[in-house]
Amino acid sequence: MLAFIDVNGLKQVNDTQGHLAGDRLLRLLGETLRANVRPYDVIVRYGGDELVCAMPNLSAAEARARFERIAAALTAADAKHSITFGLAQLRPTDSLQELLARADADLLEARRSGQGND
């Protein structure tokens, strides 16, 4: 499973509260992710406000439940903070780009359906 994670409002935090506040938000997200994934799951910062998490040997349902918990924990720590995430399961013929594209498409669908907060 691959999760594509968008930190909602990071640019606004940087612009209104400064980059140190944005860094604190990223650290909070990193701590929240690490507390809710397995030690061997891989988390990589993909872009300015995007991260990718690879989770081997995890079902789609387990990954979704895990990231719903992560989103809830982040918002519980600070009601102004949220993430939107998309998931994709690796297919035998997938390239990395295809897997990333499907996870990104799932993230965009989550945002359109109102599951992500800007």
Side-chain angles (χ1 to χ4, degrees), residues 58-104:
L58 196 67
S59 73
E62 291 169 320
R64 185 157 307 280
R66 181 164 297 176
F67 272 87
E68 286 171 354
R69 281 193 309 273
I70 290 167
L74 183 64
T75 301
D78 187 326
K80 296 175 287 195
H81 299 321
S82 65
I83 60 170
T84 303
F85 65 90
L87 300 171
Q89 189 164 12
L90 180 66
R91 298 175 185 155
T93 59
D94 274 343
S95 69
L96 177 58
Q97 293 303 343
E98 290 167 328
L99 181 62
L100 282 166
R102 281 203 327 280
D104 189 29

Short mmCIF file of all heavy atoms in Angstrom, two decimals, residues 58-104:
data_model
loop_
_atom_site.label_atom_id
_atom_site.label_comp_id
_atom_site.label_asym_id
_atom_site.label_seq_id
_atom_site.Cartn_x
_atom_site.Cartn_y
_atom_site.Cartn_z
N LEU A 58 0.06 -4.70 3.98
CA LEU A 58 -1.06 -4.09 4.69
C LEU A 58 -2.23 -4.03 3.72
O LEU A 58 -2.05 -3.68 2.55
CB LEU A 58 -0.66 -2.68 5.14
CG LEU A 58 -1.53 -2.01 6.18
CD1 LEU A 58 -1.43 -2.74 7.52
CD2 LEU A 58 -1.11 -0.56 6.37
N SER A 59 -3.40 -4.38 4.17
CA SER A 59 -4.58 -4.33 3.30
C SER A 59 -5.05 -2.89 3.13
O SER A 59 -4.71 -2.01 3.92
CB SER A 59 -5.72 -5.16 3.89
OG SER A 59 -6.29 -4.49 5.01
N ALA A 60 -5.85 -2.68 2.11
CA ALA A 60 -6.41 -1.34 1.86
C ALA A 60 -7.25 -0.88 3.05
O ALA A 60 -7.18 0.27 3.46
CB ALA A 60 -7.22 -1.35 0.58
N ALA A 61 -8.04 -1.79 3.60
CA ALA A 61 -8.89 -1.43 4.74
C ALA A 61 -8.05 -1.05 5.96
O ALA A 61 -8.35 -0.08 6.67
CB ALA A 61 -9.83 -2.58 5.09
N GLU A 62 -6.98 -1.80 6.21
CA GLU A 62 -6.10 -1.49 7.34
C GLU A 62 -5.40 -0.15 7.13
O GLU A 62 -5.28 0.65 8.06
CB GLU A 62 -5.05 -2.59 7.51
CG GLU A 62 -5.61 -3.91 7.99
CD GLU A 62 -4.60 -5.04 7.90
OE1 GLU A 62 -3.84 -5.11 6.90
OE2 GLU A 62 -4.58 -5.86 8.84
N ALA A 63 -4.95 0.11 5.90
CA ALA A 63 -4.28 1.38 5.60
C ALA A 63 -5.24 2.55 5.77
O ALA A 63 -4.89 3.57 6.37
CB ALA A 63 -3.71 1.36 4.19
N ARG A 64 -6.46 2.40 5.27
CA ARG A 64 -7.46 3.48 5.40
C ARG A 64 -7.75 3.75 6.88
O ARG A 64 -7.78 4.91 7.32
CB ARG A 64 -8.74 3.13 4.66
CG ARG A 64 -9.75 4.29 4.69
CD ARG A 64 -10.73 4.24 3.56
NE ARG A 64 -10.16 4.14 2.25
CZ ARG A 64 -9.65 5.16 1.54
NH1 ARG A 64 -9.63 6.37 2.06
NH2 ARG A 64 -9.17 4.96 0.34
N ALA A 65 -7.96 2.70 7.66
CA ALA A 65 -8.23 2.87 9.09
C ALA A 65 -7.05 3.56 9.79
O ALA A 65 -7.25 4.45 10.63
CB ALA A 65 -8.52 1.52 9.74
N ARG A 66 -5.85 3.17 9.42
CA ARG A 66 -4.66 3.76 10.02
C ARG A 66 -4.58 5.26 9.72
O ARG A 66 -4.34 6.07 10.61
CB ARG A 66 -3.42 3.04 9.50
CG ARG A 66 -2.14 3.55 10.09
CD ARG A 66 -1.02 2.59 9.85
NE ARG A 66 -1.36 1.35 10.55
CZ ARG A 66 -0.65 0.25 10.50
NH1 ARG A 66 0.44 0.21 9.80
NH2 ARG A 66 -1.02 -0.83 11.15
N PHE A 67 -4.82 5.63 8.47
CA PHE A 67 -4.70 7.05 8.11
C PHE A 67 -5.88 7.87 8.61
O PHE A 67 -5.73 9.06 8.88
CB PHE A 67 -4.43 7.22 6.62
CG PHE A 67 -2.96 7.18 6.36
CD1 PHE A 67 -2.32 5.97 6.14
CD2 PHE A 67 -2.20 8.33 6.44
CE1 PHE A 67 -0.96 5.92 5.97
CE2 PHE A 67 -0.82 8.28 6.27
CZ PHE A 67 -0.20 7.07 6.03
N GLU A 68 -7.01 7.26 8.80
CA GLU A 68 -8.12 7.98 9.45
C GLU A 68 -7.76 8.28 10.89
O GLU A 68 -8.05 9.37 11.40
CB GLU A 68 -9.41 7.17 9.33
CG GLU A 68 -9.99 7.20 7.92
CD GLU A 68 -11.15 6.25 7.69
OE1 GLU A 68 -11.48 5.44 8.60
OE2 GLU A 68 -11.72 6.30 6.59
N ARG A 69 -7.09 7.34 11.57
CA ARG A 69 -6.62 7.57 12.94
C ARG A 69 -5.57 8.68 12.98
O ARG A 69 -5.57 9.53 13.86
CB ARG A 69 -6.04 6.30 13.56
CG ARG A 69 -7.06 5.32 14.05
CD ARG A 69 -6.45 4.23 14.94
NE ARG A 69 -5.30 3.56 14.35
CZ ARG A 69 -5.37 2.50 13.54
NH1 ARG A 69 -6.54 1.98 13.21
NH2 ARG A 69 -4.27 1.94 13.07
N ILE A 70 -4.67 8.66 12.00
CA ILE A 70 -3.62 9.69 11.94
C ILE A 70 -4.25 11.07 11.74
O ILE A 70 -3.89 12.03 12.42
CB ILE A 70 -2.61 9.36 10.82
CG1 ILE A 70 -1.78 8.14 11.21
CG2 ILE A 70 -1.73 10.57 10.49
CD1 ILE A 70 -0.98 7.53 10.09
N ALA A 71 -5.19 11.16 10.82
CA ALA A 71 -5.88 12.45 10.56
C ALA A 71 -6.59 12.93 11.81
O ALA A 71 -6.51 14.11 12.17
CB ALA A 71 -6.86 12.29 9.39
N ALA A 72 -7.28 12.03 12.51
CA ALA A 72 -8.00 12.40 13.73
C ALA A 72 -7.03 12.83 14.83
O ALA A 72 -7.29 13.80 15.55
CB ALA A 72 -8.87 11.23 14.20
N ALA A 73 -5.91 12.14 14.96
CA ALA A 73 -4.93 12.49 16.00
C ALA A 73 -4.31 13.85 15.73
O ALA A 73 -4.10 14.65 16.66
CB ALA A 73 -3.84 11.42 16.07
N LEU A 74 -4.03 14.15 14.47
CA LEU A 74 -3.45 15.45 14.13
C LEU A 74 -4.44 16.58 14.44
O LEU A 74 -4.06 17.58 15.04
CB LEU A 74 -3.07 15.48 12.64
CG LEU A 74 -2.39 16.75 12.16
CD1 LEU A 74 -1.04 16.94 12.85
CD2 LEU A 74 -2.22 16.72 10.66
N THR A 75 -5.69 16.38 14.08
CA THR A 75 -6.71 17.40 14.36
C THR A 75 -6.96 17.52 15.86
O THR A 75 -7.21 18.62 16.36
CB THR A 75 -8.01 17.08 13.59
OG1 THR A 75 -7.70 17.05 12.19
CG2 THR A 75 -9.07 18.13 13.82
N ALA A 76 -6.88 16.40 16.58
CA ALA A 76 -7.06 16.45 18.03
C ALA A 76 -5.94 17.24 18.70
O ALA A 76 -6.16 17.93 19.69
CB ALA A 76 -7.13 15.04 18.61
N ALA A 77 -4.73 17.16 18.15
CA ALA A 77 -3.60 17.91 18.70
C ALA A 77 -3.77 19.40 18.47
O ALA A 77 -3.35 20.21 19.30
CB ALA A 77 -2.29 17.42 18.09
N ASP A 78 -4.38 19.77 17.34
CA ASP A 78 -4.64 21.17 17.02
C ASP A 78 -5.75 21.19 15.99
O ASP A 78 -5.56 20.73 14.86
CB ASP A 78 -3.40 21.86 16.48
CG ASP A 78 -3.58 23.35 16.30
OD1 ASP A 78 -4.70 23.80 15.97
OD2 ASP A 78 -2.60 24.09 16.49
N ALA A 79 -6.91 21.72 16.36
CA ALA A 79 -8.09 21.69 15.50
C ALA A 79 -7.89 22.40 14.16
O ALA A 79 -8.62 22.15 13.22
CB ALA A 79 -9.29 22.30 16.23
N LYS A 80 -6.86 23.25 14.07
CA LYS A 80 -6.61 23.97 12.82
C LYS A 80 -5.81 23.13 11.82
O LYS A 80 -5.64 23.54 10.68
CB LYS A 80 -5.86 25.27 13.09
CG LYS A 80 -6.66 26.27 13.93
CD LYS A 80 -5.81 27.47 14.26
CE LYS A 80 -4.80 27.05 15.29
NZ LYS A 80 -4.10 28.05 16.02
N HIS A 81 -5.30 21.98 12.23
CA HIS A 81 -4.43 21.16 11.37
C HIS A 81 -5.18 19.94 10.84
O HIS A 81 -5.93 19.30 11.58
CB HIS A 81 -3.20 20.71 12.12
CG HIS A 81 -2.35 21.83 12.61
ND1 HIS A 81 -2.12 22.98 11.88
CD2 HIS A 81 -1.67 21.99 13.76
CE1 HIS A 81 -1.33 23.78 12.56
NE2 HIS A 81 -1.05 23.21 13.72
N SER A 82 -4.95 19.65 9.56
CA SER A 82 -5.57 18.47 8.97
C SER A 82 -4.74 17.98 7.79
O SER A 82 -3.86 18.70 7.29
CB SER A 82 -7.00 18.78 8.50
OG SER A 82 -6.98 19.72 7.45
N ILE A 83 -5.02 16.76 7.39
CA ILE A 83 -4.41 16.18 6.21
C ILE A 83 -5.51 15.61 5.32
O ILE A 83 -6.61 15.33 5.79
CB ILE A 83 -3.40 15.06 6.53
CG1 ILE A 83 -4.09 13.90 7.29
CG2 ILE A 83 -2.20 15.60 7.29
CD1 ILE A 83 -3.24 12.64 7.43
N THR A 84 -5.18 15.48 4.05
CA THR A 84 -5.98 14.70 3.13
C THR A 84 -5.06 13.61 2.62
O THR A 84 -3.87 13.85 2.40
CB THR A 84 -6.49 15.56 1.96
OG1 THR A 84 -7.24 16.66 2.49
CG2 THR A 84 -7.39 14.76 1.03
N PHE A 85 -5.57 12.40 2.47
CA PHE A 85 -4.72 11.31 2.00
C PHE A 85 -5.43 10.51 0.93
O PHE A 85 -6.66 10.47 0.85
CB PHE A 85 -4.30 10.41 3.16
CG PHE A 85 -5.43 9.67 3.82
CD1 PHE A 85 -5.82 8.42 3.38
CD2 PHE A 85 -6.12 10.24 4.88
CE1 PHE A 85 -6.87 7.75 3.99
CE2 PHE A 85 -7.17 9.59 5.49
CZ PHE A 85 -7.55 8.32 5.04
N GLY A 86 -4.63 9.88 0.10
CA GLY A 86 -5.12 8.95 -0.90
C GLY A 86 -4.30 7.68 -0.80
O GLY A 86 -3.14 7.70 -0.39
N LEU A 87 -4.92 6.57 -1.17
CA LEU A 87 -4.27 5.27 -1.06
C LEU A 87 -4.28 4.54 -2.39
O LEU A 87 -5.22 4.69 -3.18
CB LEU A 87 -5.00 4.41 -0.02
CG LEU A 87 -5.05 4.95 1.40
CD1 LEU A 87 -5.98 4.12 2.26
CD2 LEU A 87 -3.65 5.00 2.00
N ALA A 88 -3.26 3.74 -2.61
CA ALA A 88 -3.21 2.87 -3.78
C ALA A 88 -2.49 1.59 -3.40
O ALA A 88 -1.50 1.62 -2.66
CB ALA A 88 -2.50 3.55 -4.94
N GLN A 89 -3.00 0.49 -3.92
CA GLN A 89 -2.38 -0.81 -3.68
C GLN A 89 -1.53 -1.18 -4.88
O GLN A 89 -1.95 -1.03 -6.02
CB GLN A 89 -3.44 -1.87 -3.44
CG GLN A 89 -2.87 -3.18 -2.97
CD GLN A 89 -3.93 -4.09 -2.36
OE1 GLN A 89 -5.12 -3.84 -2.48
NE2 GLN A 89 -3.50 -5.13 -1.70
N LEU A 90 -0.32 -1.63 -4.62
CA LEU A 90 0.61 -2.00 -5.67
C LEU A 90 0.06 -3.18 -6.47
O LEU A 90 -0.36 -4.19 -5.90
CB LEU A 90 1.97 -2.36 -5.08
CG LEU A 90 3.06 -2.76 -6.06
CD1 LEU A 90 3.44 -1.57 -6.94
CD2 LEU A 90 4.27 -3.29 -5.31
N ARG A 91 0.10 -3.03 -7.78
CA ARG A 91 -0.25 -4.13 -8.69
C ARG A 91 1.04 -4.69 -9.26
O ARG A 91 2.03 -3.96 -9.39
CB ARG A 91 -1.13 -3.60 -9.83
CG ARG A 91 -2.45 -3.04 -9.35
CD ARG A 91 -3.21 -2.43 -10.52
NE ARG A 91 -4.43 -1.79 -10.06
CZ ARG A 91 -5.04 -0.79 -10.70
NH1 ARG A 91 -4.55 -0.34 -11.84
NH2 ARG A 91 -6.14 -0.26 -10.20
N PRO A 92 1.04 -5.97 -9.63
CA PRO A 92 2.30 -6.59 -10.10
C PRO A 92 2.95 -5.85 -11.27
O PRO A 92 4.17 -5.86 -11.39
CB PRO A 92 1.88 -7.99 -10.51
CG PRO A 92 0.65 -8.27 -9.71
CD PRO A 92 -0.04 -6.95 -9.54
N THR A 93 2.17 -5.20 -12.11
CA THR A 93 2.73 -4.55 -13.30
C THR A 93 2.98 -3.06 -13.10
O THR A 93 3.42 -2.39 -14.03
CB THR A 93 1.79 -4.74 -14.50
OG1 THR A 93 0.51 -4.17 -14.17
CG2 THR A 93 1.63 -6.22 -14.84
N ASP A 94 2.73 -2.54 -11.91
CA ASP A 94 2.87 -1.10 -11.66
C ASP A 94 4.31 -0.62 -11.73
O ASP A 94 5.22 -1.27 -11.19
CB ASP A 94 2.37 -0.74 -10.25
CG ASP A 94 0.89 -0.47 -10.19
OD1 ASP A 94 0.27 -0.25 -11.23
OD2 ASP A 94 0.36 -0.50 -9.06
N SER A 95 4.48 0.54 -12.30
CA SER A 95 5.72 1.30 -12.11
C SER A 95 5.48 2.18 -10.88
O SER A 95 4.34 2.35 -10.43
CB SER A 95 6.02 2.17 -13.33
OG SER A 95 5.06 3.22 -13.42
N LEU A 96 6.55 2.76 -10.36
CA LEU A 96 6.40 3.66 -9.22
C LEU A 96 5.51 4.83 -9.60
O LEU A 96 4.66 5.25 -8.82
CB LEU A 96 7.77 4.15 -8.74
CG LEU A 96 7.75 5.16 -7.60
CD1 LEU A 96 7.04 4.60 -6.37
CD2 LEU A 96 9.18 5.58 -7.25
N GLN A 97 5.69 5.36 -10.81
CA GLN A 97 4.88 6.50 -11.25
C GLN A 97 3.40 6.15 -11.33
O GLN A 97 2.55 6.96 -10.98
CB GLN A 97 5.39 7.02 -12.61
CG GLN A 97 6.77 7.65 -12.53
CD GLN A 97 6.87 8.79 -11.53
OE1 GLN A 97 5.89 9.36 -11.09
NE2 GLN A 97 8.09 9.13 -11.15
N GLU A 98 3.08 4.95 -11.79
CA GLU A 98 1.67 4.53 -11.86
C GLU A 98 1.07 4.41 -10.46
O GLU A 98 -0.07 4.84 -10.23
CB GLU A 98 1.55 3.20 -12.61
CG GLU A 98 1.84 3.32 -14.09
CD GLU A 98 2.04 1.98 -14.77
OE1 GLU A 98 2.54 1.03 -14.14
OE2 GLU A 98 1.70 1.90 -15.97
N LEU A 99 1.83 3.84 -9.55
CA LEU A 99 1.36 3.69 -8.17
C LEU A 99 1.13 5.07 -7.54
O LEU A 99 0.09 5.33 -6.93
CB LEU A 99 2.36 2.89 -7.36
CG LEU A 99 2.00 2.62 -5.90
CD1 LEU A 99 0.72 1.80 -5.78
CD2 LEU A 99 3.16 1.90 -5.21
N LEU A 100 2.10 5.97 -7.70
CA LEU A 100 1.96 7.33 -7.18
C LEU A 100 0.76 8.05 -7.80
O LEU A 100 0.02 8.74 -7.10
CB LEU A 100 3.23 8.14 -7.44
CG LEU A 100 4.41 7.87 -6.53
CD1 LEU A 100 5.68 8.48 -7.10
CD2 LEU A 100 4.14 8.40 -5.13
N ALA A 101 0.58 7.88 -9.10
CA ALA A 101 -0.53 8.55 -9.79
C ALA A 101 -1.88 8.07 -9.26
O ALA A 101 -2.80 8.87 -9.07
CB ALA A 101 -0.44 8.31 -11.30
N ARG A 102 -2.01 6.78 -8.97
CA ARG A 102 -3.28 6.26 -8.43
C ARG A 102 -3.52 6.77 -7.01
O ARG A 102 -4.64 7.12 -6.64
CB ARG A 102 -3.32 4.74 -8.48
CG ARG A 102 -3.66 4.20 -9.85
CD ARG A 102 -4.24 2.80 -9.85
NE ARG A 102 -3.75 1.92 -8.82
CZ ARG A 102 -2.58 1.26 -8.87
NH1 ARG A 102 -1.79 1.39 -9.90
NH2 ARG A 102 -2.21 0.47 -7.89
N ALA A 103 -2.46 6.82 -6.19
CA ALA A 103 -2.61 7.34 -4.83
C ALA A 103 -2.96 8.83 -4.87
O ALA A 103 -3.82 9.29 -4.11
CB ALA A 103 -1.33 7.10 -4.03
N ASP A 104 -2.35 9.58 -5.78
CA ASP A 104 -2.65 11.00 -5.93
C ASP A 104 -4.08 11.19 -6.41
O ASP A 104 -4.80 12.07 -5.92
CB ASP A 104 -1.66 11.64 -6.89
CG ASP A 104 -1.77 13.15 -6.94
OD1 ASP A 104 -2.16 13.77 -5.93
OD2 ASP A 104 -1.46 13.73 -8.00
#
